[in-house]
Amino acid sequence: AMELSELSKDSRVSELSAEPVSELSHMSQQDEPSSNEIAESPGKNEAKGIAPVEEYERDAMGRILVCDGCIRGPPAHVKNQMDLLFPDEANVKVCDFARDLCQFSILVISATYQDEGEYLLEPGEWKRNDMFFEYRLKEGEDLRLKGNELFKQGKYSEAAVFYRKGLYYAAFDEAQFNFELQDNHREYVVKTITPLRLNYCLCLLKDDYRPLRRPLPNLEDRFTEIIHHCTEVLNLADQKQAGLQDVDRVKALYRRGLARMAKDDLDRADQDLRAAAQLDGGGPDLRRAMETLRELRKEQRDRQRALWGGKLAASSSADADADA
């Protein structure tokens, strides 16, 4: 990235002129347009290829902010920004690539992480991007407690709505979680979001579950949703994130194993249940699940044996007829 000190070396670049640097060195100070003149005549300056000064972000010292070699500003001015930074290469093909890359970077930075949980918001409720960090997690915790009350009443589908809505508020995308939050903030997030994920998966596993509202998954896709959220919890465990306990890892392995059994992914379901048994020692629910898994694997082997046995018998009969 270009250092700010490099911009200040040339007075013309600091004034955001589009003139080539080689020509600027022969110009007198009286010929330089001031920042006030640029700001007062934006249309005229834009015609000359000079963007208005107010279009660019500045720090507390009034210096232009430079990010990845590019002056920060709206994407519409990216071309002019790159010409200012590379005046001698304005017509070179590689500069066109850098210009496109700059525009892409700005668009990515300005994009906001979208979550379908926003469909669960009632009119007038706050969106998470408009809330401070602490308020987002507080809202997620309150929604979890409301979901717990509904779960105790056997209203699993209604509880799933509250858990999913809590995930909308408490979840942060990977870049935010890893690079924008401090260690104590990440621990706070993990302690809030882990029970939301696990309780949400438990609701989806219930036979009485029904998708009441978008984005809750339908009966066919719910097992894929469970695998996703349990895997997110286990990824935090693999990263040894503070705030996660061994019992959370056991629950995630157990519930992911049940979802994989439902999807007939018996080999990976067996891996999950065995890993959970090593951590937990094998509770009654886990033993029942492993017994169910053994029965399913036996049925699977019987079906394969019948399928391949019938094909082999048919092949042997055809060979015998050919020899006759």
Side-chain angles (χ1 to χ4, degrees):
M2 177 177 290
E3 299 291 341
L4 291 176
S5 59
E6 296 182 12
L7 287 175
S8 61
K9 290 180 180 179
D10 192 281
S11 60
R12 298 299 294 175
V13 177
S14 65
E15 292 293 336
L16 301 180
S17 170
E19 300 284 349
V21 175
S22 58
E23 297 179 10
L24 294 178
S25 60
H26 302 291
M27 295 179 63
S28 63
Q29 188 174 1
Q30 288 79 6
D31 296 332
E32 297 180 7
S34 65
S35 58
N36 293 333
E37 293 174 348
I38 295 176
E40 290 172 359
S41 55
K44 182 179 179 181
N45 293 322
E46 288 178 357
K48 293 182 178 180
I50 304 175
V53 175
E54 60 269 19
E55 295 291 348
Y56 299 96
E57 298 183 26
R58 296 176 178 268
D59 60 13
M61 301 294 293
R63 296 170 300 190
I64 303 168
L65 292 178
V66 177
C67 179
D68 295 332
C70 305
I71 302 174
R72 293 188 58 180
H77 297 282
V78 170
K79 181 179 184 300
N80 184 56
Q81 294 167 9
M82 297 303 298
D83 288 342
L84 293 173
L85 293 169
F86 305 101
D88 297 331
E89 302 178 4
N91 297 322
V92 181
K93 187 174 182 180
V94 68
C95 188
D96 295 335
F97 169 77
R99 189 178 297 123
D100 295 339
L101 182 61
C102 176
Q103 183 174 7
F104 174 77
S105 301
I106 293 177
L107 291 176
V108 169
I109 292 172
S110 62
T112 53
Y113 173 64
Q114 299 294 329
D115 188 323
E116 288 191 341
E118 193 169 314
Y119 291 108
L120 298 174
L121 300 183
E122 301 295 339
E125 286 190 311
W126 287 85
K127 294 183 179 180
R128 66 183 184 182
N129 291 333
D130 300 327
M131 301 173 67
F132 291 111
F133 172 83
E134 292 80 3
Y135 287 100
R136 285 180 58 173
L137 296 186
K138 178 65 167 57
E139 186 67 19
E141 180 65 17
D142 292 343
L143 289 168
R144 183 183 67 83
L145 296 177
K146 293 177 181 179
N148 289 350
E149 293 298 323
L150 291 170
F151 188 91
K152 293 175 183 177
Q153 300 172 21
K155 299 179 180 180
Y156 306 121
S157 300
E158 292 82 353
V161 172
F162 281 92
Y163 293 140
R164 182 62 182 84
K165 190 174 179 180
L167 285 172
Y168 164 76
Y169 283 110
F172 291 81
D173 64 77
E174 185 176 358
Q176 289 177 317
F177 184 83
N178 290 324
F179 302 109
E180 295 183 13
L181 301 182
Q182 298 180 1
D183 291 342
N184 58 325
H185 294 154
R186 282 195 288 269
E187 182 177 357
Y188 190 7
V189 171
V190 170
K191 288 182 177 180
T192 303
I193 201 172
T194 298
L196 282 168
R197 290 191 188 278
L198 295 176
N199 292 356
Y200 177 56
C201 293
L202 184 58
C203 290
L204 299 184
L205 283 169
K206 296 295 183 180
D207 294 335
D208 298 337
Y209 164 78
R210 295 295 181 271
L212 297 181
R213 299 175 59 182
R214 182 180 180 184
L216 268 66
N218 57 39
L219 297 179
E220 295 179 356
D221 297 335
R222 58 177 171 159
F223 300 113
T224 301
E225 184 93 342
I226 293 169
I227 293 172
H228 165 72
H229 286 285
C230 290
T231 301
E232 288 293 322
V233 174
L234 294 170
N235 287 340
L236 294 176
D238 293 339
Q239 298 170 11
K240 298 182 179 179
Q241 287 288 346
L244 200 69
Q245 302 177 359
D246 287 341
V247 65
D248 298 324
R249 188 176 181 183
V250 172
K251 290 178 180 178
L253 287 167
Y254 170 67
R255 290 166 193 175
R256 189 173 71 173
L258 294 180
R260 284 175 167 171
M261 271 200 295
K263 290 175 66 68
D264 206 29
D265 189 359
L266 302 185
D267 290 337
R268 288 199 285 182
D270 182 65
Q271 295 175 4
D272 285 341
L273 296 180
R274 289 180 182 275
Q278 290 178 356
L279 292 172
D280 184 51
D285 293 338
L286 186 56
R287 287 196 297 270
R288 283 195 296 269
M290 296 188 74
E291 181 62 29
T292 302
L293 178 61
R294 281 192 288 269
E295 294 176 359
L296 290 174
R297 299 192 78 167
K298 182 177 181 301
E299 293 174 2
Q300 186 182 63
R301 287 193 297 269
D302 291 342
R303 289 195 303 268
Q304 292 175 349
R305 189 178 297 110
L307 175 64
W308 291 106
K311 288 186 176 181
L312 289 174
S315 177
S316 300
S317 176
D319 292 342
D321 293 340
D323 291 340

